């Protein structure tokens, strides 16, 4: 069957690159995720010694697949943005409003590559400011390699699936990180919710591709949305603070209401 032959060719190609596929399910999604462009990026990452194997799939999202990988025997997270399925129109809008990335060519591929680079840059910037995010290790085209948040090879859970023993303290910790992100990293996450916070003794903020700088025209709108999402999630678990008070606390009074700009 043509499909089988394709699969064998694919395995041989990967083997020639020195990439081991360690997981049966990963083999199944290969056709969808690993197009020629992605294979080339993987090849380069192996050559740069950033990865040595691809293991099981952790997540299949709208725009990206996340796999557990290996580098020198230690686990890493491999996030692969799909070039074909990417929601690249929305991506383009975010990128063009960001002064760091505005001057990008507009082809689909370029948008996705820029998005990957932007997530890398955002993670690094957050990390340098002391916000608990996965440490970004490398990026190549549509692939981002970062620290694996988990224990052994078990990924940390999203905060929505954890039975938090002390939700009030967890809530405060999340608010503190929103504030640190805004004040120290000068970034707004823009898609913060119980899906993009992992819990491993403390909150880890993930999925920073769409995060924008404070001077982005939508920074205020994104920030209040992030705060609302976090309040909505925690309000079922503990007492939450008033939205406007949080907005003032996070921004130091620079943005008070929806629509106000960061000046
Ligand atoms: N560094 C990481 N360590 C462990 N698990 C991760 C890591 N990054 C992502 N994941 C898992 O993959 C899921 C999807 O990742 P995310 O970056 O949110 O991509 P998406 O754009 O698909 O939402 C996360 O909710 C989390 O379960
Ligand atoms: Mg996500």
């Amino acid at each position: 069957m043509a499909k089988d032959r394709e699969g064998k060719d694919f395995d041989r190609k990967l083997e020639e690159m020195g990439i081991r596929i360690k997981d049966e399910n990963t083999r199944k999604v290969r056709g969808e995720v690993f197009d020629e462009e992605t294979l080339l990026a993987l090849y380069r990452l192996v050559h740069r010694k950033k990865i040595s194997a691809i293991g099981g799939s952790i997540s299949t999202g709208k725009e990206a697949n996340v796999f557990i990988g290996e580098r020198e025997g230690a686990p890493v997270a491999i996030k692969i943005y799909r070039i074909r399925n990417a929601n690249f129109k929305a991506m383009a809008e975010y990128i063009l409003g960001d002064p760091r990335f505005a001057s990008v060519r507009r082809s689909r591929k370029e948008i996705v590559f820029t998005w990957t680079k932007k997530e890398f840059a955002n993670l690094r910037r957050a990390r340098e400011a002391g916000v608990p995010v996965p440490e970004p290790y490398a990026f190549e085209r549509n692939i981002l390699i970062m620290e694996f948040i988990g224990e052994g090879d078990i990924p940390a859970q999203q905060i929505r699936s954890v039975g938090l023993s002390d939700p009030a303290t967890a809530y405060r910790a999340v608010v503190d990180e929103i504030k640190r992100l805004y004040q120290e990293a000068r970034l707004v996450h823009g898609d913060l919710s119980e899906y993009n916070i992992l819990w491993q003794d403390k909150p880890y903020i993930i999925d920073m591709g769409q995060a924008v700088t404070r001077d982005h025209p939508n920074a205020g709108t994104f920030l209040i949305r992030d705060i609302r999402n976090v309040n909505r999630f925690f309000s079922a678990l503990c007492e939450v603070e008033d939205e406007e008070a949080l907005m003032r606390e996070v921004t130091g009074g620079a943005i008070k209401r929806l629509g106000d700009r960061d000046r």
Side-chain angles (χ1 to χ4, degrees):
M1 247 165 66
K3 260 249 145 98
D4 269 7
R5 206 180 58 228
E6 240 171 64
K8 291 225 174 72
D9 284 352
F10 178 83
D11 291 349
R12 188 175 41 74
K13 256 187 199 164
L14 279 178
E15 257 170 43
E16 281 167 11
M17 291 180 188
I19 301 169
R20 284 175 298 133
I21 294 199
K22 293 178 67 184
D23 185 272
E24 206 41 51
N25 290 323
T26 299
R27 288 176 190 280
K28 284 188 193 138
V29 297
R30 61 193 167 194
E32 211 183 289
V33 184
F34 302 102
D35 52 25
E36 288 291 322
E37 209 70 53
T38 305
L39 281 177
L40 187 60
L42 275 174
Y43 176 73
R44 291 195 175 159
L45 286 164
V46 172
H47 188 72
R48 289 169 58 198
K49 300 204 181 330
K50 301 297 182 188
I51 46 168
S52 51
I54 283 202
S57 163
I58 305 174
S59 158
T60 304
K62 277 207 296 269
E63 292 145 13
N65 292 59
V66 180
F67 299 91
I68 184 167
E70 229 176 74
R71 183 200 179 186
E72 289 170 356
V76 293
I78 304 178
K79 184 169 183 178
I80 304 182
Y81 283 100
R82 290 189 302 276
I83 293 166
R84 272 182 238 152
N85 296 340
N87 182 13
F88 81 108
K89 263 200 180 150
M91 285 181 168
E93 270 167 39
Y94 277 85
I95 284 168
L96 298 173
D98 190 318
R100 298 172 298 166
F101 300 95
S103 65
V104 69
R105 281 201 291 132
R106 280 151 172 267
S107 81
R108 174 181 286 258
K109 253 200 297 196
E110 285 293 326
I111 296 281
V112 175
F113 295 170
T114 303
W115 189 263
T116 309
K117 183 180 178 171
K118 183 168 174 257
E119 175 154 33
F120 181 90
N122 286 337
L123 287 172
R124 187 159 64 185
R125 191 161 156 156
R127 177 102 188 165
E128 278 167 5
V131 180
V133 299
E135 183 181 350
Y137 295 145
F139 69 91
E140 183 74 57
R141 295 178 177 231
N142 56 328
I143 304 180
L144 170 67
I145 311 295
M146 62 186 145
E147 178 186 359
F148 177 76
I149 308 298
E151 277 184 280
D153 56 5
I154 312 294
Q157 286 195 307
Q158 295 170 0
I159 199 169
R160 71 191 171 97
S161 323
V162 181
L164 290 169
S165 59
D166 182 358
T169 303
Y171 173 62
R172 194 59 237 177
V174 170
V175 168
D176 285 346
E177 298 314 339
I178 297 176
K179 186 172 168 182
R180 202 190 316 276
L181 195 62
Y182 188 87
Q183 296 196 351
E184 309 295 331
R186 304 175 74 83
L187 287 174
V188 174
H189 187 284
D191 190 23
L192 200 63
S193 74
E194 60 274 28
Y195 290 83
N196 285 331
I197 303 172
L198 303 185
W199 185 265
Q200 174 119 305
D201 307 319
K202 63 172 186 178
Y204 285 83
I205 313 291
I206 61 160
D207 205 356
M208 304 262 304
Q210 70 297 313
V212 298
T213 51
R214 278 164 46 163
D215 49 21
H216 189 285
N218 297 335
T221 313
F222 290 166
L223 182 59
I224 196 136
R225 196 172 64 193
D226 286 353
I227 286 174
R228 275 186 192 147
N229 282 339
V230 166
N231 266 3
R232 181 195 29 77
F233 172 71
F234 277 101
S235 61
L237 307 172
C238 62
E239 256 191 58
V240 299
E241 289 166 52
D242 172 69
E243 221 167 72
E244 297 233 340
L246 279 179
M247 205 58 184
R248 274 194 301 277
E249 187 194 333
V250 168
T251 64
I255 308 174
K256 292 181 195 68
R257 280 179 302 278
L258 186 61
D260 283 3
R261 290 285 152 79
D262 181 19
R263 274 182 259 266

